Each structure stands twice: as structure tokens, then as C-alpha cells.
Amino acid sequence: SQETGLVFYGFQLEEFEHRRGDENERLAVYNGDAFVGNPSADGEFSGEWIDVFTPEDISRVAGRGSVKAALIESNGRSALQVVSQSPDIQGEVLFELGRGILDTLAGDQALVAMTLRSSTDATTQIYVKCQLPGGGDCGRRRFDVTYETNDIVFSLDLSNVRNGGGESGILALNSDVSGSNKGINIYAIRIRPQ
């Protein structure tokens, strides 16, 4: 049986569905089509978002162990296709949260929006986590990703990050927690104050 509910993201009320993950954890899955920060037809977010990643600049992207990443054209747009060949840390692609970004948002709550889709018609479950200066992190969060392009939006607590600390952080993503080599296409990652 599936249960539905509502959650407030600070922008609007959105219906979501409760599901159980492969480790029996409770997941909230929603359709982000109506999210206020969705890219418009020209691929831009509304509001004051800061780019963490765009396919035009992959200089702050790295991979660990057994992850494949390649720039591709998808839906008439450039994307980074990521295929994690391991369901753990070895399958992670890393996006740098640069010093400038962290200095701008230090001491605050932030929203992260990732525009992506599954690289095939099969749904995949990804995880996202981060490493922040001073040993902070944002926990490991799981999301279902379908073939339809959507935004995944989550909060990031930067209240313990010092302005001017001079250190970068990392946003890490694994494209398939099941270990079945499912991939995703990432069009953009943005961050803004909450």
C-alpha cells in the first residue's frame, strides 16, 4: 500500500508519495514539475541560484573508483551522463562546492536543486551526500529518478561553515544504489539561500 502526503518546500505545497527503499528506509518521492525553481524552456532557473555544475564547465567534477562520466547531448541539451558501477563510495561522482559558493552561503540554510533524469527508461535510485569544511556533512539522501527530466530539491545546512574559511566542499552522487549500473543525465546543479 502506498501512502501520500504533502510537504512545504518554502515555495509551494507539493504532493508526495511514501515508499520504502532497499534498506527499508522511508522515502518521500514527488513529481517536481511544478517546482518554482524548475528550469524554463531556455534551461534557466528562476530566482537567485548559483551554479554548482553546468555541462559547459566540468572543471570542478571528479570521480572515484568505478564511475563513468561523459558529456552527451540529451533532449537537445548538454548533460553529464553518470554511470556508477559500484553502489557505494567507489561509484561516486564528485561536484566541488567552491570556496566562493560556501563563503557566499556560510552560516545559512541553503537549497540545492539538481536537474536530471535517468539515462534510460528504467527508474534508478540515487544517493546524494556532501562533505563540508570542518567535518560537516548533509547526510546521505536517496531519490528515485525517472526518465522524465525533473528537479531534485533538498536543504543543506551551512550554519557551521565559516565565511572566509577558504576551504571547498564536495557534493557526491551515486547514480544507482542497487549496483545495476543504471545511469543518469545531469543537466544542472544549483544552490541558493533558503
Side-chain angles (χ1 to χ4, degrees):
S1 77
Q2 292 186 347
E3 176 185 337
T4 62
L6 298 175
V7 67
F8 183 68
Y9 290 106
F11 296 104
Q12 72 181 49
L13 216 48
E14 183 80 42
E15 184 173 355
F16 69 93
E17 169 183 306
H18 291 284
R19 294 186 190 166
R20 292 285 176 188
D22 61 346
E23 294 176 5
N24 204 30
E25 74 276 21
R26 189 174 172 145
L27 304 172
V29 181
Y30 73 97
N31 176 349
D33 287 341
F35 173 63
V36 136
N38 265 359
S40 61
D42 63 1
E44 297 296 321
F45 279 75
S46 60
E48 299 296 320
W49 292 89
I50 301 168
D51 289 336
V52 172
F53 164 76
T54 64
E56 291 75 31
D57 181 11
I58 60 168
S59 63
R60 296 185 312 248
V61 179
R64 299 191 207 246
S66 57
V67 63
K68 292 183 180 180
L71 285 176
I72 63 163
E73 286 295 315
S74 171
N75 286 348
R77 297 167 46 192
S78 295
L80 181 69
Q81 187 170 78
V82 175
V83 179
S84 299
Q85 297 179 306
S86 175
D88 55 21
I89 191 171
Q90 291 302 312
E92 292 177 352
V93 65
L94 310 173
F95 299 92
E96 180 185 8
L97 294 171
R99 293 182 299 227
I101 292 171
L102 292 179
D103 285 349
T104 300
L105 300 171
D108 290 325
Q109 297 289 318
L111 281 179
V112 177
M114 304 176 73
T115 304
L116 44 74
R117 74 177 201 166
S118 174
S119 59
T120 67
D121 60 358
T123 297
T124 186
Q125 188 175 94
I126 68 169
Y127 75 71
V128 179
K129 64 181 186 177
C130 60
Q131 297 169 348
L132 300 171
D137 66 40
C138 60
R140 183 174 141 160
R141 301 158 192 241
R142 291 181 179 214
F143 302 96
D144 285 346
V145 178
T146 66
Y147 193 57
E148 182 178 336
T149 302
N150 275 310
D151 290 327
I152 291 174
V153 181
F154 59 93
S155 294
L156 184 58
D157 184 0
L158 299 173
S159 60
N160 292 326
V161 175
R162 288 188 1 247
N163 189 345
E167 296 180 60
S168 295
I170 294 173
L171 187 67
L173 180 146
N174 188 301
S175 72
D176 184 10
V177 300
S178 74
S180 301
N181 297 333
K182 295 178 186 170
I184 58 171
N185 298 344
I186 305 172
Y187 298 97
I189 301 174
R190 309 275 206 275
I191 192 168
R192 68 174 286 171
Q194 190 166 345

